[in-house]
Amino acid sequence: MASNMYAIKCPCCGRSAFEDYYYKTHEQYTTCMRCGYYYTKVIKEYTKENIEYKEEMSEGHGMCILINKDGSRENMILKSSLTEVQLEELKSKIMDHNINQDKSYLVSFENGEFSILFGNPPENFYLSFEEYREKMFAKYGVPDFDFMVPIEE
């Protein structure tokens, strides 16, 4: 399978989201590591005459990014508004001795507003998609197809 991966403007929060588009099958995976929005379009059923797709979409409610001291990471998309119980569970995970608290963070996204609940998101987190795009083009150059914005956290 062949795909193109690039950054796009998140349809939920307007910041940079990652898109993985399989141009031969027209399957697509879009995830915003800022607000937690995601969209998937995958083949459900295939015949010579027809391709049927299954689509799923979730509005963003936030992200929890856990980066271990060994460099491995876990990205958790918040699929709904945080409850107090969920908030305490995530805070407990972040405080684990194997987690690098300096690089991990928990962010909620409700009613178009971000709330940093723990940690410090990376610099690119705060950029609008347009600012992010210009930064990536300045750093990596403008690709032949200018819709293909480089991906960086």
Side-chain angles (χ1 to χ4, degrees):
M1 292 296 219
S3 72
N4 290 314
M5 294 181 69
Y6 46 87
I8 64 166
K9 184 175 184 175
C10 176
C12 187
C13 71
R15 295 188 180 172
S16 62
F18 303 148
E19 183 162 279
D20 189 0
Y21 178 70
Y22 290 73
Y23 54 86
K24 290 185 177 185
T25 63
H26 303 285
E27 292 175 290
Q28 176 181 337
Y29 303 88
T30 304
T31 305
C32 180
M33 300 298 285
R34 280 52 170 156
C35 73
Y37 166 89
Y38 74 89
Y39 170 79
T40 61
K41 177 183 172 185
V42 296
I43 294 174
K44 180 178 179 182
E45 192 171 307
Y46 172 79
T47 65
K48 287 184 178 182
E49 297 81 33
N50 187 43
I51 299 176
E52 184 178 339
Y53 292 95
K54 177 183 174 186
E55 295 179 270
E56 290 183 41
M57 190 271 300
S58 176
E59 293 180 4
H61 290 279
M63 292 291 300
C64 182
I65 308 296
L66 299 176
I67 300 179
N68 291 305
K69 291 179 179 172
D70 69 5
S72 63
R73 65 186 291 147
E74 181 180 359
N75 302 329
M76 291 178 275
I77 293 173
L78 305 181
K79 295 182 179 181
S80 62
S81 299
L82 274 176
T83 65
E84 286 298 319
V85 171
Q86 291 169 322
L87 179 59
E88 291 307 314
E89 287 174 1
L90 291 172
K91 283 184 178 180
S92 176
K93 285 185 176 189
I94 288 172
M95 297 312 294
D96 184 276
H97 73 280
N98 291 317
I99 299 296
N100 181 335
Q101 284 88 19
D102 292 335
K103 294 184 177 182
S104 300
Y105 57 94
L106 172 60
V107 176
S108 70
F109 183 73
E110 298 296 336
N111 303 314
E113 297 289 324
F114 285 96
S115 297
I116 311 297
L117 304 174
F118 182 88
N120 298 302
E123 178 184 328
N124 289 340
F125 179 92
Y126 298 97
L127 301 177
S128 69
F129 176 71
E130 291 75 15
E131 293 168 321
Y132 174 85
R133 182 177 187 245
E134 291 307 312
K135 179 180 177 182
M136 294 300 102
F137 285 174
K139 185 172 182 177
Y140 298 107
V142 179
D144 292 338
F145 302 104
D146 68 353
F147 69 89
M148 296 183 86
V149 177
I151 296 172
E152 195 176 90
E153 186 172 2

